[in-house]
């Protein structure tokens, strides 16, 4: 199963922004493609997402240079290698230098895995799992969006639900959809104009405060008779400045942020908080973790950037207790698994996550099952770039596991 040909093309993501698709052809004729996602609320410690910078095409966001890197450098570097040697292939991709772009290396890395799975005759999740114990993940589902995903209507980026006590994904999703519908009805009753959806498919209402969003969400859960915990992605990096955390007309310190969130935990049934503080506020994170870490899942997204070194620092300094895992923050499948496996080994949680700019590729669903992480974050239950993943999980649950 040697890699015979690698090619790439520029496609569009769910925001109409260019992204990459790579194709691998093996010597036995097996062919597979993979598409890569792209974030909006990106952290500064993420690997390079290579864009053309040509103002005449897509406001500089074209990816033709990344296409060229795949066809002229990364492709030739892995041609002739055995497709089942994922680690060797990923190492070879990284040897070509970080200037290639993590979007370029990831497209090749994922397409190789998919081709190898097909050649072996396995579903992708089974191939990826290797000796890991596969687990169908519980989703955390976006219902209300703010921040950079909804025009800065609220400071906090995601108000999500985690279904609890359902026997399977099918019944969990049915309940989540009820909560989503009921939230829309409650928002409409308050006079919110609900035109369109936010980047990840949730509602993007203008409300008076962040707390109002949490309160409406809890009200919707109760009114729809669902059993749900609430999760937040504060995405605090994106409203942090010299004066502190600037929200609702004033600046707060890290301690004041912890005070605010601590009061919300019992009030709204919050069990998971992502990026409660900014990506480089290590001192604040230590205080936050000491205060809330035993009661709630504290997930690092911009903080860790799916980077093994940053995760190790977090583990050493007792910062956060879970990592958000986004493949394109680091750039290869092997490095992604390194982060997940390391987190699991030390008792940190791992949440396998999509980006706000997504494609119809459902790779993430198989990755989540294969990793045994137990949790996935895809966005809301509208827009087919999200549903491609939920529906793939349903298919794995129904027909493959
Ligand atoms: P992004 O958002 O893909 O725009 O970075 C997702 C998240 O912050 O979790
Ligand atoms: Zn996040």
């Amino acid at each position: 199963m040697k890699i015979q040909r690698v090619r790439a093309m520029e496609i569009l993501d769910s925001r109409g922004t260019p992204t990459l698709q790579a194709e691998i052809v093996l010597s036995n004729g097996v062919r597979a493609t993979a598409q890569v996602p792209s974030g909006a609320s990106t952290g500064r410690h993420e690997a390079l997402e290579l864009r053309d910078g040509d103002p005449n095409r897509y406001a500089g966001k074209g990816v033709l240079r990344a296409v060229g890197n795949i066809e002229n450098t990364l492709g030739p570097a892995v041609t002739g290698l055995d497709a089942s040697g994922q680690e060797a292939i990923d190492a070879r991709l990284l040897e070509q230098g970080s200037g290639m772009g993590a979007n370029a290396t990831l497209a090749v890395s994922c397409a190789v895995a998919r081709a190898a799975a097909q050649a072996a005759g396995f579903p992708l999740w089974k191939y990826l799992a290797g000796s890991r114990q596969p687990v169908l993940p519980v989703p955390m589902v976006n219902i209300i969006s703010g921040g950079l995903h909804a025009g800065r209507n609220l400071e906090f980026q995601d108000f999500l639900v985690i279904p609890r006590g359902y026997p399977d994904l099918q019944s969990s999703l049915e309940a989540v959809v009820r909560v989503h519908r009921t939230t829309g009805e409650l928002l409409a009753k308050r006079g919110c104009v609900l035109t369109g959806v936010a980047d990840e498919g949730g509602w993007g209402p203008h409300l008076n405060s962040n707390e109002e969003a949490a309160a409406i969400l809890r009200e919707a859960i109760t009114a729809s008779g669902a059993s749900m915990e609430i999760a937040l992605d504060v995405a605090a990096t994106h409203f942090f400045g010299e004066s502190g955390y600037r929200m609702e007309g004033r600046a707060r310190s890290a301690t004041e942020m912890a005070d605010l969130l601590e009061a919300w935990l019992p009030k709204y049934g919050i069990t998971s908080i992502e990026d409660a503080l900014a990506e480089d506020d290590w001192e604040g994170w230590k205080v936050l973790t000491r205060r809330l870490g035993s009661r709630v899942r504290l997930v690092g997204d911009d903080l860790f950037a799916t980077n093994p070194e940053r995760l190790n620092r977090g583990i050493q300094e007792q910062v956060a207790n879970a990592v958000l895992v986004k493949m394109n923050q680091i750039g290869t499948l092997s490095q992604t698994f390194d982060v997940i496996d390391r987190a699991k080994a030390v008792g940190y949680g791992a949440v396998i996550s999509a980006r706000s700019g997504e494609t119809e590729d459902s790779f993430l669903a198989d990755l989540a099952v294969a990793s045994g992480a137990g949790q996935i974050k895809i966005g809301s239950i509208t827009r087919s770039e999200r549903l491609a993943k939920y529906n793939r999980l349903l298919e794995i649950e129904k027909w493959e596991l």
Side-chain angles (χ1 to χ4, degrees), residues 32 43 49 127 131 136 148 160 168 219 240 243 252 264 296 364 367 369 385 387:
E49 181 181 69
Y127 172 79
S131 58
L136 203 80
L148 293 172
L160 315 97
D168 50 26
E219 194 185 330
F240 179 69
S243 54
R252 286 180 164 78
W264 287 15
V296 67
L364 195 78
L367 172 71
V369 173
E385 78 277 4
L387 274 305

Side-chain angles (χ1 to χ4, degrees), residues 251-327:
R252 286 180 164 78
S253 67
T255 305
E256 287 174 301
M257 289 296 286
D259 293 341
L260 177 138
L261 292 166
E262 185 171 25
W264 287 15
L265 297 184
K267 201 166 170 191
Y268 301 112
I270 293 169
T271 58
S272 177
I273 308 175
E274 178 181 331
D275 281 357
L277 297 173
E279 59 197 351
D280 290 313
D281 189 359
W282 289 92
E283 289 312 310
W285 270 99
K286 275 187 220 170
V287 174
L288 177 85
T289 309
R290 224 176 294 132
R291 280 186 49 188
L292 305 186
S294 64
R295 283 181 279 163
V296 67
R297 180 142 283 187
L298 295 172
V299 187
D301 171 12
D302 292 350
L303 174 72
F304 293 139
T306 317
N307 180 311
E309 271 115 63
R310 291 186 70 84
L311 176 62
N312 276 333
R313 176 171 175 189
I315 292 165
Q316 253 158 31
E317 299 186 15
Q318 299 189 1
V319 156
N321 54 33
V323 57
L324 199 79
V325 178
K326 293 167 165 169
M327 288 189 283

Side-chain angles (χ1 to χ4, degrees), residues 8-30:
M9 63 183 284
E10 183 183 71
I11 59 167
L12 294 178
D13 73 12
S14 53
R15 277 191 284 250
T17 302
T19 189
L20 287 171
Q21 169 168 301
E23 180 195 63
I24 301 287
V25 180
L26 303 182
S27 50
N28 59 0
V30 164

